[in-house]
């Protein structure tokens, strides 16, 4: 009958076969080309959501099962600075501005096609993070407020190490440190971290809390002493780690 049949067991690319038909009178040949492909059965990128820094090179390549895949953009669009490689499915580029987009990528061969969805978010990396000062001498019972300066998209703040003085708290959205100082302490160190999906930074702060000196006096305002005799006069005061010096006289 000339029927060609069977179950292919391996991939074959453009194999030429010549078939002859003949009888006792004559014969005739015909050439056919056979390509055997493994259908595409799985197709995905390592992640379905990518966060990319503006100005940072990005690339991702899919994993796939199947022969001779061809990749194309099925829906959505890529920024002008991005490309999709039709041979290996690599998406690459350098974002020049923030964006959020979702695309559907199609992988196909002569037998079947499969699609997968991915989302890309480009953010401005964080930079220039600081507070106005790094070291503070503060008074117990006073209200304190401190705001940071920073460049970049969607910063979130946290305490990386150490802790803030009692009574102060950190706003995770704005980075503001505020509160009423309720206890004295010496050299309390806290490292404030800020991060987004692209990068992270930190800044170290040192706090010293003291009681404000008040009610300073000596028992008397006038004294007479004998020569060659040791004297000691102690002041009365309210305060924390107060130091004394002769101001005049």
């Amino acid at each position: 009958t000339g029927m060609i049949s069977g179950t292919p067991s391996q991939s074959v690319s453009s194999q030429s076969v010549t078939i002859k038909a003949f009888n006792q009178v004559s014969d005739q040949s015909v050439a056919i080309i056979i390509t055997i492909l493994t259908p595409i059965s799985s197709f995905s990128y390592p992640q379905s959501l990518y966060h990319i820094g503006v100005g940072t090179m990005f690339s991702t390549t899919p994993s796939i099962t199947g022969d001779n895949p061809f990749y194309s953009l099925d829906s959505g669009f890529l920024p002008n600075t991005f490309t999709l490689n039709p041979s290996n499915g690599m998406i690459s580029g350098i974002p020049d501005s923030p964006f959020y987009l979702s695309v559907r990528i199609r992988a196909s061969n002569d037998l079947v096609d499969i699609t997968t969805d991915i989302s890309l978010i480009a953010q401005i990396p964080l930079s220039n993070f600081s507070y106005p000062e790094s070291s503070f001498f503060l008074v117990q019972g006073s209200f304190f407020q401190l705001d940071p300066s920073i460049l970049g998209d969607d910063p979130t703040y946290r305490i990386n190490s150490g802790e803030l003085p009692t009574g102060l708290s950190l706003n995770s959205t704005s980075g503001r440190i505020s509160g009423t100082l309720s206890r004295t302490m010496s050299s309390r160190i806290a490292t404030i971290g800020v991060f987004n999906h692209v990068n992270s930074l930190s800044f170290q702060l040192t706090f010293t809390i003291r009681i404000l000196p008040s009610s300073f006096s000596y028992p008397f305002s006038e004294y007479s002493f004998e020569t060659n005799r040791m004297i000691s006069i102690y002041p009365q005061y309210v305060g924390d780690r107060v130091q004394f010096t002769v101001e005049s006289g």
Side-chain angles (χ1 to χ4, degrees), residues 28-244:
Q28 188 171 353
S29 298
V30 64
I32 62 173
I33 297 175
I34 298 175
T35 297
I36 300 173
L37 299 176
T38 300
I40 297 173
S41 58
S42 65
F43 167 48
S44 65
Y45 285 86
Q47 300 173 215
S48 60
L49 173 63
Y50 290 92
H51 293 271
I52 314 164
V54 171
T56 302
M57 179 64 193
F58 168 80
S59 68
T60 182
T61 302
S63 60
I64 193 166
T65 301
D67 289 334
N68 299 347
F70 176 83
Y71 300 89
S72 60
L73 196 61
D74 188 68
S75 65
F77 66 92
L78 292 173
N80 293 333
T81 56
F82 276 63
T83 59
L84 170 65
N85 188 310
S87 299
N88 61 17
M90 176 185 287
I91 299 171
S92 61
I94 302 175
D96 58 4
S97 61
F99 61 74
Y100 175 85
L101 56 87
S102 294
V103 294
R104 177 167 293 168
I105 309 299
R106 179 180 297 274
S108 58
N109 60 17
D110 290 334
L111 301 177
V112 70
D113 57 11
I114 296 180
T115 61
T116 188
D117 296 333
I118 66 170
S119 297
L120 306 175
I121 300 175
Q123 293 181 308
I124 297 175
L126 302 176
S127 63
N128 297 349
F129 170 48
S130 67
Y131 286 88
E133 300 177 39
S134 60
S135 184
F136 297 89
F137 288 86
L138 306 171
V139 177
Q140 178 186 352
S142 64
F143 180 78
F144 177 76
Q145 180 173 295
L146 185 67
D147 292 305
S149 61
I150 193 169
L151 299 177
D153 287 337
D154 301 327
T156 298
Y157 300 84
R158 65 188 176 193
I159 299 175
N160 283 350
S161 63
E163 55 184 337
L164 294 173
T166 303
L168 298 186
S169 62
L170 172 68
N171 186 300
S172 62
T173 302
S174 67
R176 171 176 290 181
I177 298 171
S178 62
T180 300
L181 301 156
S182 58
R183 292 179 55 189
T184 63
M185 56 190 62
S186 177
S187 297
R188 174 67 60 85
I189 297 175
T191 299
I192 309 301
V194 60
F195 66 95
N196 61 14
H197 290 287
V198 177
N199 68 329
S200 61
L201 302 169
S202 63
F203 192 86
Q204 182 172 287
L205 299 171
T206 302
F207 298 90
T208 300
I209 314 301
R210 296 285 183 251
I211 297 174
L212 187 67
S214 61
S215 304
F216 171 48
S217 65
Y218 284 91
F220 301 99
S221 60
E222 186 174 336
Y223 294 88
S224 297
F225 305 108
E226 294 183 24
T227 58
N228 301 318
R229 176 171 291 190
M230 178 67 185
I231 60 170
S232 296
I233 306 173
Y234 293 98
Q236 299 171 338
Y237 63 91
V238 175
D240 184 39
R241 299 195 179 187
V242 178
Q243 295 181 332
F244 303 88

